[in-house]
Short mmCIF file of all heavy atoms in Angstrom, two decimals:
data_model
loop_
_atom_site.label_atom_id
_atom_site.label_comp_id
_atom_site.label_asym_id
_atom_site.label_seq_id
_atom_site.Cartn_x
_atom_site.Cartn_y
_atom_site.Cartn_z
N ASP A 20 131.84 -5.39 25.08
CA ASP A 20 131.23 -4.08 24.90
C ASP A 20 132.16 -3.08 24.24
O ASP A 20 133.37 -3.12 24.45
CB ASP A 20 131.01 -3.48 26.19
CG ASP A 20 129.98 -3.49 27.10
OD1 ASP A 20 128.79 -3.48 26.77
OD2 ASP A 20 130.36 -3.43 28.24
N ALA A 21 131.56 -2.12 23.53
CA ALA A 21 132.38 -1.08 22.88
C ALA A 21 133.12 -0.23 23.91
O ALA A 21 134.18 0.23 23.67
CB ALA A 21 131.48 -0.24 21.98
N LEU A 22 132.44 0.01 25.05
CA LEU A 22 133.06 0.83 26.11
C LEU A 22 134.30 0.13 26.68
O LEU A 22 135.29 0.78 26.90
CB LEU A 22 132.03 1.08 27.20
CG LEU A 22 132.31 2.21 28.18
CD1 LEU A 22 132.62 3.49 27.45
CD2 LEU A 22 131.19 2.39 29.11
N ASP A 23 134.20 -1.17 26.88
CA ASP A 23 135.39 -1.92 27.39
C ASP A 23 136.52 -1.91 26.39
O ASP A 23 137.70 -1.81 26.75
CB ASP A 23 134.98 -3.33 27.71
CG ASP A 23 134.05 -3.41 28.85
OD1 ASP A 23 134.03 -2.51 29.70
OD2 ASP A 23 133.31 -4.45 28.94
N VAL A 24 136.23 -2.01 25.11
CA VAL A 24 137.24 -2.01 24.06
C VAL A 24 137.92 -0.61 24.02
O VAL A 24 139.11 -0.51 23.96
CB VAL A 24 136.64 -2.34 22.66
CG1 VAL A 24 137.68 -2.11 21.58
CG2 VAL A 24 136.16 -3.77 22.67
N GLY A 25 137.12 0.40 24.14
CA GLY A 25 137.66 1.77 24.17
C GLY A 25 138.57 2.00 25.34
O GLY A 25 139.66 2.59 25.22
N ALA A 26 138.17 1.48 26.49
CA ALA A 26 139.01 1.63 27.69
C ALA A 26 140.27 0.83 27.56
O ALA A 26 141.37 1.30 27.96
CB ALA A 26 138.24 1.16 28.91
N ALA A 27 140.21 -0.36 26.94
CA ALA A 27 141.42 -1.17 26.74
C ALA A 27 142.37 -0.49 25.82
O ALA A 27 143.60 -0.49 26.00
CB ALA A 27 141.01 -2.55 26.21
N ILE A 28 141.84 0.13 24.76
CA ILE A 28 142.70 0.83 23.82
C ILE A 28 143.38 2.05 24.49
O ILE A 28 144.58 2.28 24.32
CB ILE A 28 141.87 1.30 22.58
CG1 ILE A 28 141.50 0.06 21.75
CG2 ILE A 28 142.65 2.29 21.73
CD1 ILE A 28 140.49 0.32 20.64
N ASP A 29 142.59 2.75 25.30
CA ASP A 29 143.15 3.90 26.03
C ASP A 29 144.27 3.45 26.98
O ASP A 29 145.31 4.07 27.05
CB ASP A 29 142.02 4.62 26.81
CG ASP A 29 142.48 5.91 27.47
OD1 ASP A 29 143.13 6.71 26.77
OD2 ASP A 29 142.20 6.07 28.66
N THR A 30 144.01 2.36 27.67
CA THR A 30 145.02 1.84 28.60
C THR A 30 146.28 1.40 27.83
O THR A 30 147.42 1.72 28.27
CB THR A 30 144.46 0.65 29.39
OG1 THR A 30 143.36 1.09 30.19
CG2 THR A 30 145.53 0.04 30.31
N ALA A 31 146.12 0.77 26.73
CA ALA A 31 147.25 0.31 25.89
C ALA A 31 148.07 1.54 25.39
O ALA A 31 149.31 1.46 25.40
CB ALA A 31 146.80 -0.55 24.71
N ARG A 32 147.40 2.60 25.04
CA ARG A 32 148.12 3.80 24.63
C ARG A 32 148.88 4.41 25.75
O ARG A 32 150.02 4.86 25.55
CB ARG A 32 147.11 4.80 24.02
CG ARG A 32 146.62 4.46 22.69
CD ARG A 32 145.68 5.52 22.12
NE ARG A 32 145.18 5.10 20.81
CZ ARG A 32 144.00 5.38 20.35
NH1 ARG A 32 143.15 6.10 21.07
NH2 ARG A 32 143.65 4.96 19.15
N LYS A 33 148.31 4.45 26.93
CA LYS A 33 149.00 4.98 28.10
C LYS A 33 150.22 4.17 28.44
O LYS A 33 151.29 4.71 28.76
CB LYS A 33 148.05 5.11 29.30
CG LYS A 33 147.04 6.18 29.15
CD LYS A 33 146.04 6.20 30.32
CE LYS A 33 145.00 7.25 30.13
NZ LYS A 33 144.01 7.26 31.21
N VAL A 34 150.07 2.86 28.40
CA VAL A 34 151.23 1.97 28.69
C VAL A 34 152.31 2.15 27.67
O VAL A 34 153.50 2.27 27.99
CB VAL A 34 150.77 0.48 28.75
CG1 VAL A 34 151.93 -0.45 28.76
CG2 VAL A 34 149.87 0.27 29.96
N ALA A 35 151.97 2.29 26.39
CA ALA A 35 152.96 2.49 25.35
C ALA A 35 153.65 3.84 25.53
O ALA A 35 154.89 3.95 25.36
CB ALA A 35 152.26 2.45 23.96
N SER A 36 152.92 4.85 25.92
CA SER A 36 153.53 6.18 26.18
C SER A 36 154.49 6.11 27.36
O SER A 36 155.59 6.69 27.31
CB SER A 36 152.45 7.23 26.46
OG SER A 36 151.68 7.45 25.32
N ALA A 37 154.08 5.42 28.42
CA ALA A 37 154.93 5.30 29.57
C ALA A 37 156.21 4.52 29.26
O ALA A 37 157.33 4.92 29.66
CB ALA A 37 154.20 4.61 30.73
N ARG A 38 156.11 3.47 28.50
CA ARG A 38 157.29 2.69 28.08
C ARG A 38 158.25 3.53 27.24
O ARG A 38 159.47 3.49 27.40
CB ARG A 38 156.88 1.44 27.32
CG ARG A 38 156.33 0.35 28.20
CD ARG A 38 156.08 -0.89 27.40
NE ARG A 38 155.60 -1.93 28.31
CZ ARG A 38 154.82 -2.94 27.90
NH1 ARG A 38 154.43 -3.05 26.66
NH2 ARG A 38 154.41 -3.81 28.78
N ALA A 39 157.66 4.29 26.32
CA ALA A 39 158.48 5.12 25.45
C ALA A 39 159.19 6.23 26.27
O ALA A 39 160.38 6.48 26.05
CB ALA A 39 157.62 5.77 24.38
N ALA A 40 158.49 6.82 27.24
CA ALA A 40 159.11 7.83 28.09
C ALA A 40 160.21 7.21 28.95
O ALA A 40 161.25 7.80 29.12
CB ALA A 40 158.02 8.50 28.95
N LEU A 41 159.94 6.05 29.49
CA LEU A 41 160.96 5.38 30.30
C LEU A 41 162.19 5.06 29.48
O LEU A 41 163.34 5.23 30.01
CB LEU A 41 160.36 4.07 30.88
CG LEU A 41 161.17 3.29 31.87
CD1 LEU A 41 161.41 4.11 33.13
CD2 LEU A 41 160.48 1.98 32.25
N ALA A 42 162.03 4.71 28.25
CA ALA A 42 163.19 4.40 27.39
C ALA A 42 164.06 5.63 27.10
O ALA A 42 165.25 5.49 26.76
CB ALA A 42 162.72 3.79 26.06
N THR A 43 163.51 6.82 27.26
CA THR A 43 164.29 8.06 26.98
C THR A 43 165.16 8.49 28.16
O THR A 43 166.00 9.35 28.01
CB THR A 43 163.39 9.23 26.59
OG1 THR A 43 162.61 9.62 27.70
CG2 THR A 43 162.49 8.87 25.40
N LEU A 44 164.90 7.93 29.36
CA LEU A 44 165.65 8.29 30.52
C LEU A 44 167.13 7.85 30.41
O LEU A 44 167.41 6.81 29.81
CB LEU A 44 165.05 7.67 31.79
CG LEU A 44 163.68 8.13 32.22
CD1 LEU A 44 163.26 7.34 33.47
CD2 LEU A 44 163.63 9.61 32.46
N PRO A 45 168.03 8.59 31.04
CA PRO A 45 169.41 8.09 31.14
C PRO A 45 169.38 6.72 31.86
O PRO A 45 168.52 6.48 32.68
CB PRO A 45 170.13 9.14 31.96
CG PRO A 45 169.29 10.37 31.78
CD PRO A 45 167.89 9.91 31.62
N ALA A 46 170.35 5.89 31.55
CA ALA A 46 170.37 4.53 32.09
C ALA A 46 170.27 4.49 33.58
O ALA A 46 169.49 3.66 34.15
CB ALA A 46 171.63 3.80 31.60
N ALA A 47 170.93 5.31 34.32
CA ALA A 47 170.94 5.28 35.79
C ALA A 47 169.54 5.63 36.32
O ALA A 47 169.05 5.02 37.28
CB ALA A 47 171.98 6.25 36.37
N GLN A 48 168.87 6.62 35.72
CA GLN A 48 167.52 7.00 36.14
C GLN A 48 166.54 5.89 35.79
O GLN A 48 165.64 5.55 36.58
CB GLN A 48 167.13 8.29 35.50
CG GLN A 48 167.87 9.48 36.03
CD GLN A 48 167.50 10.80 35.35
OE1 GLN A 48 166.53 10.86 34.63
NE2 GLN A 48 168.29 11.82 35.57
N ARG A 49 166.67 5.33 34.63
CA ARG A 49 165.77 4.24 34.17
C ARG A 49 165.94 3.04 35.09
O ARG A 49 164.93 2.43 35.54
CB ARG A 49 166.08 3.85 32.73
CG ARG A 49 165.15 2.83 32.15
CD ARG A 49 165.37 2.61 30.65
NE ARG A 49 166.74 2.27 30.32
CZ ARG A 49 167.58 3.08 29.67
NH1 ARG A 49 167.22 4.28 29.30
NH2 ARG A 49 168.82 2.70 29.40
N GLU A 50 167.17 2.71 35.46
CA GLU A 50 167.44 1.61 36.39
C GLU A 50 166.79 1.87 37.76
O GLU A 50 166.20 0.99 38.37
CB GLU A 50 168.93 1.38 36.51
CG GLU A 50 169.31 0.29 37.46
CD GLU A 50 170.79 0.10 37.61
OE1 GLU A 50 171.56 1.11 37.54
OE2 GLU A 50 171.23 -1.05 37.85
N ALA A 51 166.92 3.11 38.23
CA ALA A 51 166.36 3.46 39.53
C ALA A 51 164.83 3.35 39.52
O ALA A 51 164.24 2.73 40.42
CB ALA A 51 166.80 4.88 39.93
N VAL A 52 164.22 3.94 38.54
CA VAL A 52 162.76 3.91 38.44
C VAL A 52 162.26 2.48 38.31
O VAL A 52 161.32 2.06 39.01
CB VAL A 52 162.25 4.79 37.28
CG1 VAL A 52 160.78 4.59 37.01
CG2 VAL A 52 162.52 6.25 37.56
N THR A 53 162.92 1.69 37.48
CA THR A 53 162.48 0.31 37.23
C THR A 53 162.66 -0.50 38.53
O THR A 53 161.77 -1.23 38.92
CB THR A 53 163.31 -0.30 36.11
OG1 THR A 53 163.09 0.43 34.92
CG2 THR A 53 162.93 -1.75 35.87
N SER A 54 163.82 -0.38 39.16
CA SER A 54 164.09 -1.18 40.35
C SER A 54 163.15 -0.83 41.48
O SER A 54 162.63 -1.70 42.18
CB SER A 54 165.56 -0.95 40.82
OG SER A 54 165.90 -1.81 41.85
N LEU A 55 162.90 0.46 41.70
CA LEU A 55 162.08 0.92 42.81
C LEU A 55 160.59 0.70 42.57
O LEU A 55 159.87 0.20 43.41
CB LEU A 55 162.38 2.37 43.18
CG LEU A 55 163.74 2.63 43.75
CD1 LEU A 55 164.04 4.12 43.79
CD2 LEU A 55 163.86 2.01 45.15
N TYR A 56 160.15 1.15 41.42
CA TYR A 56 158.69 1.21 41.16
C TYR A 56 158.10 0.06 40.38
O TYR A 56 156.95 -0.26 40.56
CB TYR A 56 158.33 2.53 40.45
CG TYR A 56 158.71 3.70 41.31
CD1 TYR A 56 159.80 4.49 41.02
CD2 TYR A 56 157.98 4.02 42.45
CE1 TYR A 56 160.18 5.55 41.82
CE2 TYR A 56 158.32 5.09 43.25
CZ TYR A 56 159.43 5.86 42.92
OH TYR A 56 159.79 6.89 43.77
N LEU A 57 158.88 -0.60 39.58
CA LEU A 57 158.39 -1.76 38.86
C LEU A 57 158.77 -3.07 39.53
O LEU A 57 157.95 -3.99 39.62
CB LEU A 57 158.87 -1.74 37.41
CG LEU A 57 158.46 -0.52 36.58
CD1 LEU A 57 158.98 -0.63 35.15
CD2 LEU A 57 156.94 -0.39 36.56
N ASP A 58 160.00 -3.16 40.03
CA ASP A 58 160.48 -4.37 40.72
C ASP A 58 160.13 -4.38 42.18
O ASP A 58 160.20 -5.45 42.84
CB ASP A 58 161.96 -4.54 40.51
CG ASP A 58 162.36 -4.75 39.06
OD1 ASP A 58 161.49 -5.10 38.22
OD2 ASP A 58 163.56 -4.48 38.71
N GLY A 59 159.84 -3.20 42.76
CA GLY A 59 159.40 -3.11 44.16
C GLY A 59 160.48 -3.17 45.19
O GLY A 59 160.21 -3.44 46.34
N HIS A 60 161.74 -2.93 44.77
CA HIS A 60 162.83 -2.91 45.75
C HIS A 60 162.80 -1.65 46.59
O HIS A 60 162.34 -0.59 46.15
CB HIS A 60 164.18 -3.01 45.01
CG HIS A 60 164.40 -4.25 44.26
ND1 HIS A 60 164.40 -5.53 44.82
CD2 HIS A 60 164.57 -4.46 42.93
CE1 HIS A 60 164.59 -6.44 43.90
NE2 HIS A 60 164.65 -5.81 42.73
N ASP A 61 163.33 -1.72 47.82
CA ASP A 61 163.50 -0.54 48.67
C ASP A 61 164.77 0.16 48.17
O ASP A 61 165.54 -0.39 47.36
CB ASP A 61 163.53 -0.84 50.13
CG ASP A 61 164.65 -1.78 50.51
OD1 ASP A 61 165.81 -1.56 50.08
OD2 ASP A 61 164.41 -2.75 51.28
N HIS A 62 165.02 1.40 48.67
CA HIS A 62 166.17 2.17 48.25
C HIS A 62 167.50 1.44 48.52
O HIS A 62 168.42 1.53 47.74
CB HIS A 62 166.15 3.56 48.88
CG HIS A 62 165.13 4.45 48.30
ND1 HIS A 62 163.88 4.55 48.82
CD2 HIS A 62 165.17 5.26 47.25
CE1 HIS A 62 163.19 5.42 48.10
NE2 HIS A 62 163.95 5.86 47.13
N HIS A 63 167.59 0.77 49.63
CA HIS A 63 168.81 0.09 50.00
C HIS A 63 169.14 -1.06 49.08
O HIS A 63 170.23 -1.26 48.62
CB HIS A 63 168.82 -0.31 51.46
CG HIS A 63 168.85 0.79 52.42
ND1 HIS A 63 170.02 1.43 52.74
CD2 HIS A 63 167.87 1.47 53.10
CE1 HIS A 63 169.79 2.45 53.59
NE2 HIS A 63 168.48 2.45 53.83
N THR A 64 168.11 -1.88 48.82
CA THR A 64 168.29 -3.00 47.91
C THR A 64 168.59 -2.56 46.51
O THR A 64 169.48 -3.06 45.83
CB THR A 64 167.04 -3.91 47.93
OG1 THR A 64 166.84 -4.32 49.31
CG2 THR A 64 167.23 -5.12 47.04
N ALA A 65 167.81 -1.60 46.01
CA ALA A 65 168.05 -1.03 44.66
C ALA A 65 169.46 -0.46 44.53
O ALA A 65 170.12 -0.71 43.50
CB ALA A 65 166.99 0.01 44.34
N ALA A 66 169.90 0.23 45.56
CA ALA A 66 171.24 0.82 45.53
C ALA A 66 172.32 -0.29 45.48
O ALA A 66 173.28 -0.20 44.75
CB ALA A 66 171.46 1.74 46.75
N ALA A 67 172.09 -1.31 46.31
CA ALA A 67 173.08 -2.42 46.32
C ALA A 67 173.14 -3.12 44.94
O ALA A 67 174.21 -3.44 44.47
CB ALA A 67 172.69 -3.45 47.37
N LEU A 68 171.98 -3.30 44.32
CA LEU A 68 171.94 -3.90 42.98
C LEU A 68 172.61 -3.03 41.93
O LEU A 68 173.29 -3.53 41.02
CB LEU A 68 170.51 -4.18 42.58
CG LEU A 68 169.80 -5.27 43.36
CD1 LEU A 68 168.30 -5.26 43.03
CD2 LEU A 68 170.40 -6.62 43.03
N ALA A 69 172.50 -1.72 42.07
CA ALA A 69 173.09 -0.78 41.14
C ALA A 69 174.55 -0.44 41.46
O ALA A 69 175.23 0.21 40.64
CB ALA A 69 172.26 0.51 41.09
N GLY A 70 174.97 -0.81 42.64
CA GLY A 70 176.37 -0.50 43.06
C GLY A 70 176.57 0.95 43.41
O GLY A 70 177.62 1.51 43.10
N CYS A 71 175.55 1.53 44.04
CA CYS A 71 175.68 2.92 44.46
C CYS A 71 175.13 3.10 45.89
O CYS A 71 174.62 2.13 46.45
CB CYS A 71 174.93 3.89 43.49
SG CYS A 71 173.14 3.67 43.48
N GLU A 72 175.25 4.29 46.41
CA GLU A 72 174.74 4.58 47.73
C GLU A 72 173.22 4.80 47.69
O GLU A 72 172.68 5.26 46.64
CB GLU A 72 175.41 5.85 48.30
CG GLU A 72 176.91 5.64 48.57
CD GLU A 72 177.17 4.64 49.64
OE1 GLU A 72 176.44 4.59 50.63
OE2 GLU A 72 178.14 3.87 49.47
N PRO A 73 172.50 4.51 48.76
CA PRO A 73 171.05 4.75 48.78
C PRO A 73 170.66 6.19 48.46
O PRO A 73 169.67 6.40 47.78
CB PRO A 73 170.63 4.34 50.22
CG PRO A 73 171.67 3.36 50.61
CD PRO A 73 172.94 3.84 49.98
N GLY A 74 171.47 7.15 48.93
CA GLY A 74 171.20 8.52 48.60
C GLY A 74 171.27 8.82 47.13
O GLY A 74 170.43 9.56 46.58
N ALA A 75 172.23 8.22 46.44
CA ALA A 75 172.33 8.38 44.97
C ALA A 75 171.12 7.72 44.34
O ALA A 75 170.60 8.28 43.32
CB ALA A 75 173.63 7.76 44.48
N MET A 76 170.64 6.61 44.86
CA MET A 76 169.48 5.94 44.29
C MET A 76 168.25 6.85 44.41
O MET A 76 167.47 6.99 43.47
CB MET A 76 169.24 4.60 44.97
CG MET A 76 168.08 3.82 44.44
SD MET A 76 168.09 3.44 42.68
CE MET A 76 169.58 2.51 42.52
N ARG A 77 168.10 7.51 45.57
CA ARG A 77 166.98 8.43 45.77
C ARG A 77 167.01 9.58 44.73
O ARG A 77 166.03 9.96 44.18
CB ARG A 77 166.98 8.98 47.18
CG ARG A 77 166.50 8.02 48.23
CD ARG A 77 166.38 8.69 49.59
NE ARG A 77 166.37 7.72 50.64
CZ ARG A 77 167.44 7.18 51.22
NH1 ARG A 77 168.64 7.55 50.84
NH2 ARG A 77 167.28 6.28 52.14
N VAL A 78 168.22 10.14 44.52
CA VAL A 78 168.38 11.25 43.59
C VAL A 78 168.04 10.78 42.18
O VAL A 78 167.33 11.45 41.45
CB VAL A 78 169.77 11.84 43.66
CG1 VAL A 78 170.02 12.80 42.49
CG2 VAL A 78 170.01 12.53 45.00
N ARG A 79 168.59 9.61 41.77
CA ARG A 79 168.27 9.11 40.42
C ARG A 79 166.80 8.85 40.22
O ARG A 79 166.26 9.17 39.17
CB ARG A 79 169.04 7.81 40.23
CG ARG A 79 170.55 7.97 40.17
CD ARG A 79 171.24 6.61 40.11
NE ARG A 79 172.68 6.80 40.16
CZ ARG A 79 173.56 5.77 40.13
NH1 ARG A 79 173.10 4.51 40.05
NH2 ARG A 79 174.84 5.99 40.20
N ALA A 80 166.15 8.30 41.26
CA ALA A 80 164.75 8.02 41.12
C ALA A 80 163.92 9.32 41.07
O ALA A 80 163.03 9.44 40.24
CB ALA A 80 164.29 7.15 42.31
N HIS A 81 164.30 10.27 41.92
CA HIS A 81 163.59 11.54 41.93
C HIS A 81 163.70 12.21 40.57
O HIS A 81 162.70 12.70 40.02
CB HIS A 81 164.18 12.46 43.05
CG HIS A 81 163.57 13.82 43.06
ND1 HIS A 81 162.35 14.07 43.58
CD2 HIS A 81 164.01 15.00 42.56
CE1 HIS A 81 162.03 15.33 43.44
NE2 HIS A 81 163.05 15.94 42.83
N ARG A 82 164.88 12.27 40.01
CA ARG A 82 165.08 12.88 38.70
C ARG A 82 164.37 12.13 37.60
O ARG A 82 163.79 12.71 36.67
CB ARG A 82 166.56 13.01 38.41
CG ARG A 82 167.24 14.04 39.29
CD ARG A 82 168.71 14.12 39.02
NE ARG A 82 169.32 15.15 39.92
CZ ARG A 82 170.61 15.26 40.13
NH1 ARG A 82 171.49 14.46 39.50
NH2 ARG A 82 171.07 16.16 40.93
N GLY A 83 164.41 10.81 37.69
CA GLY A 83 163.73 9.97 36.67
C GLY A 83 162.23 10.16 36.71
O GLY A 83 161.57 10.35 35.67
N VAL A 84 161.64 10.18 37.92
CA VAL A 84 160.20 10.40 38.02
C VAL A 84 159.82 11.77 37.54
O VAL A 84 158.80 11.94 36.85
CB VAL A 84 159.74 10.12 39.47
CG1 VAL A 84 158.28 10.57 39.71
CG2 VAL A 84 159.87 8.65 39.82
N ALA A 85 160.63 12.79 37.87
CA ALA A 85 160.32 14.16 37.41
C ALA A 85 160.37 14.18 35.87
O ALA A 85 159.49 14.83 35.26
CB ALA A 85 161.32 15.14 38.00
N ALA A 86 161.32 13.55 35.26
CA ALA A 86 161.41 13.52 33.81
C ALA A 86 160.21 12.79 33.20
O ALA A 86 159.69 13.23 32.18
CB ALA A 86 162.72 12.87 33.37
N LEU A 87 159.81 11.70 33.84
CA LEU A 87 158.60 10.98 33.33
C LEU A 87 157.35 11.82 33.43
O LEU A 87 156.55 11.87 32.47
CB LEU A 87 158.43 9.67 34.08
CG LEU A 87 159.45 8.57 33.80
CD1 LEU A 87 159.23 7.42 34.75
CD2 LEU A 87 159.41 8.13 32.37
N ARG A 88 157.20 12.50 34.54
CA ARG A 88 156.05 13.37 34.72
C ARG A 88 156.01 14.42 33.60
O ARG A 88 154.95 14.72 33.02
CB ARG A 88 156.03 14.06 36.06
CG ARG A 88 155.59 13.15 37.15
CD ARG A 88 155.42 13.90 38.48
NE ARG A 88 155.04 12.99 39.52
CZ ARG A 88 155.56 12.88 40.71
NH1 ARG A 88 156.58 13.72 41.02
NH2 ARG A 88 155.15 12.02 41.57
N SER A 89 157.14 15.02 33.34
CA SER A 89 157.23 16.04 32.33
C SER A 89 156.96 15.47 30.92
O SER A 89 156.21 16.05 30.16
CB SER A 89 158.65 16.68 32.34
OG SER A 89 158.78 17.59 31.32
N ALA A 90 157.50 14.32 30.64
CA ALA A 90 157.31 13.71 29.33
C ALA A 90 155.88 13.24 29.10
O ALA A 90 155.36 13.29 27.99
CB ALA A 90 158.22 12.49 29.18
N LEU A 91 155.18 12.88 30.16
CA LEU A 91 153.83 12.35 30.05
C LEU A 91 152.74 13.37 30.30
O LEU A 91 151.57 13.09 30.18
CB LEU A 91 153.64 11.18 30.98
CG LEU A 91 154.54 9.96 30.72
CD1 LEU A 91 154.43 8.95 31.83
CD2 LEU A 91 154.17 9.36 29.35
N ALA A 92 153.16 14.63 30.59
CA ALA A 92 152.17 15.68 30.88
C ALA A 92 151.50 16.16 29.59
O ALA A 92 151.95 16.07 28.52
CB ALA A 92 152.83 16.85 31.57
#
């Protein structure tokens, strides 16, 4: 259907925008957002993988998500 194709195109555009916005984040923020929200790790695991404290991971993720919201608004 034409409606399904339109929805698929809209979804593809949103995904492309989100990927582009994610690519603009500083590496530490991008790593935090990816590890927590795409890979599904908890703060402790993500922090261990990144070699930082869980509190630092929370800050990086918070700043990254805020930047993404701003970029995608």
Side-chain angles (χ1 to χ4, degrees):
D20 269 322
L22 197 53
D23 293 335
V24 171
I28 290 170
D29 187 50
T30 298
R32 286 182 180 146
K33 288 177 182 176
V34 168
S36 294
R38 284 185 179 153
L41 187 62
T43 67
L44 294 178
Q48 291 177 12
R49 185 172 54 252
E50 180 182 31
V52 170
T53 300
S54 187
L55 292 168
Y56 298 105
L57 300 180
D58 298 339
H60 297 298
D61 61 46
H62 286 91
H63 291 280
T64 302
L68 291 169
C71 68
E72 294 296 320
M76 181 57 60
R77 283 186 200 86
V78 169
R79 292 173 185 180
H81 177 78
R82 290 178 180 165
V84 169
L87 289 174
R88 283 188 181 131
S89 177
L91 297 172

